[in-house]
Amino acid sequence: MPGTPREPFDAAVTGVGMVTAAGVGTSVCWERVCEAAGTAAAQVPGLAAVPARFGCPVPGFDGAALIGRRKAWRLDRCNQFALVAAAEAVADAGLDTDTWDGARVGVVLGCGLGGAASWEKQYDVLREQGPERVSPLLIPLLAPNMSAGHIALELGARGPNLVTATACASGTTAVGTARELLRSGACDVVVTGGTEACMTPSLATGFSQMGALSARHDDITGASRPFDAQRDGFVLAEGAAVLVLERPEDARARGARVRARVSGYGASADAHHPTAPDPEGAGAELALRAALADADLGPQDIDHVNAHGTSTPLNDVTEARLVRRVLGERPSVTSVKGVLGHALGAAGAIEAALTALTVEHGLVPPTANLDSQDPQAEIDVVAKAPREGEVRAAVSNSFGFGGQNAVLLLTAA
């Protein structure tokens, strides 16, 4: 039985911060995805001895230089990413953390696996050196909730503090949850997004053993190729993205720039299989239609889709059929994973941020490495060069293991 319709609600995106395989900063990431220039690296530290030897790490990331040596020493890499992205987002929003009411500021981050690198490193210490050498910081280093906790500590944000874990939909779930905190009146500002740093030997091997990763070792920069007929799996990545959300009237009152608005959100479960998507896309369709209904928009209103587009054989066809069935042939479609790889729990937040920029600039980044589109993907995938044009409404899809689906709908400011 359908729920009771609610009044439409917009959350203004006033700040964006990013740490991705393109580098540190939003502008460098936007430029890289618009160029469709791949970021995969042949030599990833720690992966030399495992089957998945390549990936999309954040290049030259120096946490000590960016947040201070003492602070960096106490944080897992994923938490360092989150702090750097949050600092950029808050600065981009023009907010002063010394004068805001911290009790009205919430933090909601998505993170699928937490401090995976710290966990593996300390396990090696335990095995090789004994328990007395294990770091007393191990638990806060590995706990997934610490990404939001450390941002709150840094910003003095004393409102609701949450971490969502819905696998590869985690970042999208976080942004949708953050919007609900504004809608309910629980917060006036929410710092939200996702972070992940899981390019570790055991996790990379696990993904490889289940057949999820690309084995295109002879063409690393071309390995991630969403919707291409020759795709064979995703390329593991890391990174973070953070958005600052406010009520539009509050943003206007302080003269803030609004990049875009989060106008709809939908979530669902496939209830089909632990890792494979429902081939009919029934669960994902529920989330997409829920986002449309939440924004009080119809399929004909959507100009653009930022696809989950993982470059796996199953996901891309299922998603393409979903888009065509619900939204038709008109919306442009892109997947930034061709450039940035798949950052798991951070991916949805990275893609939400890039969707906000697409709406703001009226420019759709191309899908990298799309040489021959899969004939089963009968949608308008943008390739080779960015496409200019007004984007009034766009959706950003995220689908995770466990059949967890989340969709954001963003509109122009």
Side-chain angles (χ1 to χ4, degrees), residues 21-22 28-40 56 221-222 224 336-341 365-369 384:
V28 69
C29 183
W30 178 245
E31 290 169 8
R32 192 69 175 259
V33 297
C34 286
E35 293 170 355
T39 60
C56 295
T221 58
S224 183
V336 297
K337 290 184 177 75
V339 172
L340 301 175
T367 301
N369 304 315
K384 307 303 181 186

Side-chain angles (χ1 to χ4, degrees), residues 108 162 164 170-184 190 192 245 265 408:
V108 186
L162 308 169
T164 60
S170 297
T172 301
T173 304
V175 177
T177 302
R179 173 173 168 268
E180 289 299 314
L181 290 176
L182 292 176
R183 189 179 213 165
S184 71
V190 186
T192 184
L245 302 186
Y265 170 64
L408 293 168

Side-chain angles (χ1 to χ4, degrees), residues 32 57 82 102 110 159 182 215 217 229-230 288 311 358 411:
R32 192 69 175 259
L182 292 176
H217 294 274
Q230 300 303 314
L288 177 53
S311 183
T358 293
T411 57

Side-chain angles (χ1 to χ4, degrees), residues 194-269:
T195 189
E196 201 83 273
C198 56
M199 301 185 72
T200 68
S202 64
L203 291 175
T205 299
F207 281 119
S208 179
Q209 289 293 93
M210 70 188 302
L213 300 184
S214 172
R216 193 182 285 262
H217 294 274
D218 58 344
D219 180 20
I220 290 170
T221 58
S224 183
R225 44 200 319 111
F227 301 109
D228 189 83
Q230 300 303 314
R231 68 191 183 282
D232 71 333
F234 71 80
V235 175
L236 194 60
E238 62 181 3
V242 171
L243 297 81
V244 174
L245 302 186
E246 305 176 59
R247 295 184 193 87
E249 58 269 27
D250 293 342
R252 284 194 301 269
R254 67 181 186 85
R257 173 194 57 189
V258 177
R259 289 185 176 273
R261 300 182 185 212
V262 182
S263 300
Y265 170 64
S268 68

